Amino acid sequence: MGRQIVTILGATGSIGINCLDVIAREPEKFQVYALTANTNWKKLLELTKQFQPSTAVCVDEQAAEKLSEELARTDLKTQVLYGNKGLESVASANEVDTVMASIVGAAGLLPTLAAVKAGKKILLANKESLVMAGELFMSLVQQHQALLLPVDSEHNALFQCLPNHHYPQQDPSKGYIAWHDLGVEKLILTASGGPFLNEDLGCLANKTPEQACSHPNWEMGRKISVDSATLMNKGLEVIEASYLYGINPDKIEVVVHPQSIIHSMVSYRDGSVLAELGNPDMRTPIAHVLAWPERIYAGVKALELTQIGRLDFQAPDHERFPCLKMAFEALEQGGTAPAILNAANEVAVEAFLQKRLPFTGISELVAVTLDKSLKEQLKIIHTDSQSELEHILETDTQTRKLAWKLLDKAVGSSKVIADEQLSSRGQI
Ligand code: NAD
Ligand code: MG
């Protein structure tokens, strides 16, 4: 068999770099076709020199020009593209077998869908695309016979623990029933609890972006690090798991497990619980999906349970982590509610990282944006996937506008959103 030809969307990020680390260990098995970045042309230049892809894409046009100029000084033949068209073109190119979807946030949706529509093998790290467009995404996977493999450590663990790696995505109408027939009772997602698990509740408002981004177990990009600190990451993952595996929210449980050694579990009818364990290192799930169904070295240290000594578990504290409950509620609500939740959260996290919003303001801004957006939401019956996608993208745009507007109104106030507005949170 020839080498697997891979495009990495978001190559300069934490997942992209980990993916390249695994690929570099197995040059006989993998060949890089394209690498992409948003604006970071310097990092992309360094990676292009090392991996010599056919194409490099910078979304930002000026960054792409700079990259071209620098590449012209080398012997490399790499062509440079820019913009979202560039991303979509390398995600769907004929030469490509596999697409690592590791752009952060809603920006990952269209390029990942381009790979889906081209029937590629997709290694999905960009959970936001499933959160925004879960049903549409999964129906396009089925329609175009793409192979969707989960990179997110929890979903990858579930994939390894579910029976026969069988997906209800092959028949989404069956949904949970298909799993129930196979004896599956429940999916149990583990959450580390992030850096503020045991922090005094009264101190949370003063937490800085630097503190929120120093995760105890995983080294990740800034957005997902903040999401881990609020537990919105686990909320997004509950939604991701529900769409990916066709499982109802009441069959998904979240357990806080601070050591992050068990990455998730499947509970079966006969009382068996299957778990996937390992050191917290994203190269494990990345290597698993790159090589699946084979196994390759990932550069990850073997797990030494006697050194770890103990594994702890506790129920999530919803007062400390209101985002988790909001995500469950958005999933129950369905339609565009998860897309609204996602857009509001992206704005809130960005505002927090820009120090325009206190840490506790993230969940407050999401709650009030969700509440207002859901009231204004139109129920639209879609005749085709294109109109459904346009509706999702429009919802994303409108929600962002609203969230920034609500934020601007509240600027200057340490308590970002008024209490009377917050009291309507229960309605979603
Ligand atoms: P990151 O911030 O480290 O990297 C993001 C990548 O996306 C970069 O290459 C960046 O250039 C690119 N990008 C950013 N904005 C873009 C835009 N508007 N258009 C095109 N490209 C853009 O993020 P990360 O931590 O690697 O996370 C990537 C995705 O993987 C996220 O969806 C995250 O939730 C998911 N994920 C990450 C981890 C992890 O350990 N980092 C684990 C599980 C899932
Ligand atoms: Mg995860």
Side-chain angles (χ1 to χ4, degrees), residues 261 279 301-310:
I261 296 295
N279 285 316
K301 274 201 319 205
L303 182 64
E304 299 278 0
L305 280 174
T306 50
Q307 279 179 19
I308 290 157
R310 57 184 275 181

Side-chain angles (χ1 to χ4, degrees), residues 48-332:
T48 300
K49 286 180 179 164
Q50 187 183 350
F51 291 92
Q52 310 193 353
S54 311
T55 308
V57 184
C58 267
V59 178
D60 183 76
E61 190 176 354
Q62 282 167 357
E65 268 170 30
K66 199 77 194 119
L67 180 67
S68 282
E69 279 168 32
E70 293 295 326
L71 283 173
R73 297 179 218 273
T74 70
D75 296 337
L76 291 170
K77 303 269 177 298
T78 304
Q79 71 160 336
V80 177
L81 302 177
Y82 69 91
N84 290 317
K85 284 247 159 15
L87 295 178
E88 291 181 33
S89 116
V90 295
S92 59
N94 283 336
E95 297 89 328
V96 172
D97 303 309
T98 300
V99 176
M100 164 57 85
S102 54
I103 289 173
V104 61
L109 178 62
L110 292 179
T112 307
L113 282 183
V116 170
K117 289 181 191 160
K120 302 296 183 196
K121 168 176 161 181
I122 294 137
L123 316 181
L124 186 72
N126 176 238
K127 66 193 82 184
E128 294 90 347
S129 53
L130 263 189
V131 171
M132 291 174 74
E135 277 175 33
L136 172 68
F137 191 107
M138 294 309 287
S139 74
L140 290 172
V141 164
Q142 197 199 15
Q143 186 185 332
H144 297 278
Q145 304 208 315
L147 174 64
L148 185 62
L149 298 174
V151 172
D152 215 345
S153 60
E154 296 75 6
H155 306 74
N156 183 270
L158 295 172
F159 180 64
Q160 298 195 49
C161 298
L162 282 164
N164 306 327
H165 295 150
H166 164 89
Y167 270 118
Q169 79 190 33
Q170 286 147 5
D171 185 359
S173 62
K174 283 197 179 159
Y176 175 66
I177 312 260
W179 292 119
H180 197 251
D181 286 350
L182 295 168
V184 172
E185 287 291 329
K186 211 167 49 176
L187 307 185
I188 305 168
L189 269 68
T190 52
S192 70
F196 307 144
L197 179 62
N198 299 312
E199 202 64 53
D200 204 29
L201 275 185
C203 297
L204 287 185
N206 301 324
K207 293 294 170 195
T208 63
E210 287 62 38
Q211 290 169 315
C213 288
S214 51
H215 194 279
N217 307 332
W218 304 91
E219 263 193 57
M220 309 180 287
R222 284 167 75 77
K223 192 259 177 184
I224 185 177
S225 296
V226 176
D227 285 348
S228 299
T230 60
L231 245 72
M232 180 59 94
N233 183 49
K234 211 49 51 183
L236 299 178
E237 290 180 355
V238 166
I239 300 173
E240 181 186 10
S242 174
Y243 289 123
L244 183 63
Y245 294 117
I247 282 196
N248 294 339
D250 62 328
K251 301 289 177 194
I252 304 177
E253 184 185 338
V254 172
V255 171
V256 173
H257 164 45
Q259 292 92 351
S260 299
I261 296 295
I262 296 184
H263 301 138
S264 277
M265 298 171 255
V266 177
S267 175
Y268 286 87
R269 180 179 297 161
D270 59 8
S272 301
V273 176
L274 300 193
E276 188 263 345
L277 285 74
N279 285 316
D281 187 323
M282 286 309 292
R283 290 175 300 176
T284 295
I286 290 169
H288 176 255
V289 291
L290 271 170
W292 183 81
E294 289 174 23
R295 296 275 181 178
I296 55 173
Y297 286 104
V300 178
K301 274 201 319 205
L303 182 64
E304 299 278 0
L305 280 174
T306 50
Q307 279 179 19
I308 290 157
R310 57 184 275 181
L311 300 178
D312 296 303
F313 304 96
Q314 65 192 72
D317 170 352
H318 290 291
E319 191 194 344
R320 180 180 295 271
F321 300 120
C323 289
L324 181 60
K325 190 150 172 274
M326 284 193 270
F328 265 106
E329 288 167 345
L331 177 60
E332 294 275 4

